[in-house]
């Protein structure tokens, strides 16, 4: 991985992006790109991506499956930036 084993890290949407890959009334596929915070500091270059298939249910959108993500080099230039981060 990007972060050495045993090193504290988490993902943050502060530099993150999302992209709606496909959509219908009851299914969607969305890509999410995040930055990595390593030992309390946002790393200047470490990025991660994930792609999820969502299904609509009576409880709202639910994650049905994780899929092979887009490479971060593709996702970040085309994605829409999050307006707030966590």
């Amino acid at each position: 991985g990007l972060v050495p084993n045993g090193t504290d890290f988490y993902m943050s949407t502060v530099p993150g992006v999302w992209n709606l890959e496909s959509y219908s009334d009851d299914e969607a596929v969305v890509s999410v790109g995040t930055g990595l915070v390593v030992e309390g500091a946002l790393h200047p270059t470490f990025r991660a991506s994930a792609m999820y298939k969502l299904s609509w249910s009576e409880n709202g959108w639910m994650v049905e499956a994780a899929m092979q993500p887009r490479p971060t080099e593709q996702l970040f230039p085309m994605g829409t930036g999050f307006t707030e981060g966590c």
Side-chain angles (χ1 to χ4, degrees):
L2 295 172
V3 181
N5 288 342
T7 304
D8 290 335
F9 77 97
Y10 63 90
M11 296 176 167
S12 174
T13 59
V14 169
V17 298
W18 60 273
N19 187 61
L20 187 60
E21 303 286 344
S22 64
Y23 174 82
S24 69
D25 289 344
D26 57 356
E27 288 188 351
V29 175
V30 63
S31 290
V32 178
T34 60
L36 274 70
V37 177
V38 180
E39 295 184 333
L42 180 64
H43 194 279
T45 60
F46 287 179
R47 301 292 181 259
S49 61
M51 187 182 294
Y52 301 102
K53 181 178 180 181
L54 309 174
S55 295
W56 183 254
S57 74
E58 61 187 32
N59 296 317
W61 289 103
M62 305 295 284
V63 175
E64 185 176 311
M67 303 171 67
Q68 181 68 35
R70 282 183 180 274
T72 56
E73 298 82 13
Q74 268 186 7
L75 178 58
F76 274 79
M78 69 183 291
T80 300
F82 287 101
T83 57
E84 296 183 27
C86 61

